[in-house]
Amino acid sequence: MDLPPHNTDDSQGVELQHVNVVTTECRENLAFSIESEGQGPPPYSNKNKTPPGHDPKRRADWKNGGVNGHVTTINVPPISTQDAEGGGLSPPDTGGGRRRHRSEGALNTLTVTNSSASPKSNNLLDPNYRKNSMYESRSTISGVKFDDSFIEENKSFDYGSDSDGDENGLTLMYSRHEKLPLKDFSLEIRAAMDIQRFLNKTVLLLDLNKISLDEIIDEILHKMLDGTEGEVSFDQARSALFTHDYVHMLSRTLQCTSISEGGGFDYDQNWICAMASVPSILTRHVGIARLRTAANLGTSSQEVYFVIVVLTPTKEKGTKNEVETGRTFATIFSDLDFRLNLLAASTEDEFKSILEQHTKELADRQMSLTNKVPVYDTDSNKGGCKCGLFKGIREDLRRRLPHYFSDYKDGIFGPKTIQKTLSTTLFLYFACLMPSIAFGVLNSENTENVLTVEKVLYSQTFGGLIFALFGGTPLIVLLTTAPLALYTKIIHSICKEFSLDFRAMYACVGLWNSFFLFLYAAFDLSVLMQWSSRSSEEIFALFIAIAFCVDAFKNTAKNFEDHYNIPRCGSVSSPGLVAVSNVTANVSTNISETVVQSSNGCERDVSLLYLLLLLGTLWVGVMLYNFTKTPYLNAGKRELLADYALPVSVVVMSLIGALAFKDVDLGKSFDGLGNGFSIFSLVPFHTLSWGAVLGAMGLGFCLSLLFFMDQNISAALVNAPQNKMKKGTAYHWDLVVVGLINLLHSLVAFPWVHAALPHSPLHVRALADVEERVDQGHIYQIIVKVRETRLTAILSHILIGLSLLILDVLAYIPTPVLYGLFLYVGVTSLDGNQMFERIMLLFTEQSAYPPNHYIRRVPQRKMHLFTMLQLLQLIVLCGFGFAPYPYLKMFFPVLIFLLIPLRHKVIPHIIEDRYMKAMDSH
């Protein structure tokens, strides 16, 4: 879109129009400010005391301000006749009233951000009217008051009691918002030419160590104009870029906005583009500065790394004016991934190379007009088979197969990709290995050593590798989980009660489960998950997080029962207390008492060390996970430590337990001994009666519901819009692969595996590049891009397989470190859980509420009511999931499925639909 060139013959009566751009095509906007020149002063300015160079005839054009013929009006307080004729505020000792004293406070004014004052002097070449020059001018943005030589040198001239500002520095500011589309690089030839011109005549400042707006602009202007233009051009450019000296703001800026989660919009605070037309320059200038540290340049620019300055001659072609040139660079910088690459560029040549390459890619992308990949295939009007049989599987394969080789390439090539791949591989290794060992110990206790730790590790290695190689969504992590451990215990209890062979019954339930999963995939039942809302997914994710924490605390309580709260410790505690109270007693008495306690079996030191290692693992892990939010080291090292938070915490606390407290015997985590069966021996199905097979079908159906919900909810969280995944989904094909994996596991009585929460979303987060945003003092992160690769899952599961060779060494990893990892996974999974955030709001002071979209759009009572309804559902889910009655736990998968109809059929009768859309949408 080419805007008509502005009439810039006269710079009198300059107003600001702040333009906010909304483009529905790409869901990104450009917001900028246009300084409309060629407009006269407002009707209440002093007509008898005209500033030098001002043409009073221009006043008739004041009502025609705006762009594209829009009429702009401004409401001001009523003005007396004498003020209208004499101008400005009433002078002293006149009938119009008296001047206000400073002690009486400020007059009511209209103050709007990103604006410009009126009028300005046109005599910019006269040094006596050097307005906004760098001489004796300091920005209020830096917190320093102005001492402007322009005002001091022209006290004899009365601007109608300062039409630019009265004696208190008060002024009227005017701003306006309007939309602009992103520039189409595939159709608008001028876009590529603007970039090429910048590459040929580069004005680039890398790692500029400035945080003041004035200093940043001065540095860019010096490099742009020194040697080619004179000092007059510098002063004119600076005067045109800023509003005026009392409110020192950029008068015309251009920024990008994007649709925020749940509605509304957010500013891209990472960059800002300032524009101006300057009479004395003969050619266009574009300068870019990349700041070493982020600068706070205003309300919508609190985290700026890039500052772009565009200067054009006053008489310039419409397609080459400052707005069109600025729109070119604004479109380029609206890409998050591109900005991240520019931040990593170390040299000017690398910076230019990235800019040139992205320009070509953007043109190709806009040319192709690629459509957004649908999450679910709901379009029944497409050609091909109209029936549902195997249609979803075919669509998944058609969508994912073209990206198969890029799934490997994306884990190797790209900025920081190798680092991310290695750190995520180690994260997955520890995040899968430790729970496998812990659940292996639990399954071993529940099944009388039929499902041992060794079998769990074999199951994890085989299942993880198969899914990483052939799964449709490689970022999903398969794991044996707490609900599966509970279900396994139920099957074992039934087998003991009815004298059935556990291995045969377990395998039969697994085969029925796989059969039902194949049916779900064949008839495209995953389409039903389009009704699964954010609330259902977050309730289930929060339940899994609670389950991890409950397992950790239950094991801790059991350790205290075995070593701390026992009768033998109570029988020897009295002599110890007597010895402590007797200050004259010999120290050797206490030592001997310690020996007596140990010999009698009282080992309170074991429980205390257990608690220390458990909480220490959690503390070290969470501290490193949040290390990016601290000011220590630099950004690269902070990110590196955060990436390796999990492995570092496990290794450090294991070494502390093994070396610093080597005299305290925590014992081995597991022994790895089975019950005499060969690891890969087939299950004797012939021992089951037909009645047992039918009973296994019922258990298999309930189990398949758990698999169906867990697999699809995990996939939905991985493919959530905020993760910006680009390669599409494969819900039906993933069910087929998971069903095949568990069918093979069942034949040899290996533990089952399915998509794990919160490991799958954490896997996405580990492979993501993020960008920080600041909104009213609240810092939050958004994902820029995710490396959708299979390599991390493949490499981590190869390491898990190799760990079978050092099984005896792994047995010495302290048990509290294993369960400390459970706490770490549970706590870090709360990050980004909107339900948990709203639960915290119940205990938060209202003035400290973050400016989230649902807080702005939903009444507080409705928001808290919805939170309480979710809490009620979570309590019911926990009641069934953690109930001490095994048969009650059988209905746990059914409850998970019932969350969907409850959300769509019951809750809308309690809370209005418009509020639900704000709180319960992705």
Side-chain angles (χ1 to χ4, degrees), residues 94 128 255-256 322 367-368 390 413 459 477 533 555 718 853:
T94 63
N128 293 326
Q255 280 183 277
C256 179
E322 68 276 14
M367 179 69 75
S368 61
F390 301 117
F413 302 102
S459 171
V477 178
S533 62
N555 196 271
V718 166
H853 65 278

Side-chain angles (χ1 to χ4, degrees), residues 11 130 183 302 358 460 531 539 775 901:
S11 60
R130 188 187 296 116
K183 206 153 197 175
Q302 301 181 50
H358 182 72
Q460 183 66 39
W531 301 105
I539 289 172
D775 191 359

Side-chain angles (χ1 to χ4, degrees), residues 280-297:
S280 61
I281 65 173
L282 303 177
T283 183
R284 292 183 297 161
H285 297 276
V286 177
I288 300 177
R290 187 185 70 187
L291 307 184
R292 177 169 295 179
T293 57
N296 185 349
L297 303 184

Side-chain angles (χ1 to χ4, degrees), residues 48 103 259 341 455 464 637 660 678 687 727 758 810:
N48 297 325
S103 62
I259 302 300
N341 292 337
K455 279 193 171 185
K637 292 183 175 63
S678 173
T687 60
K727 298 183 180 180
L810 294 178

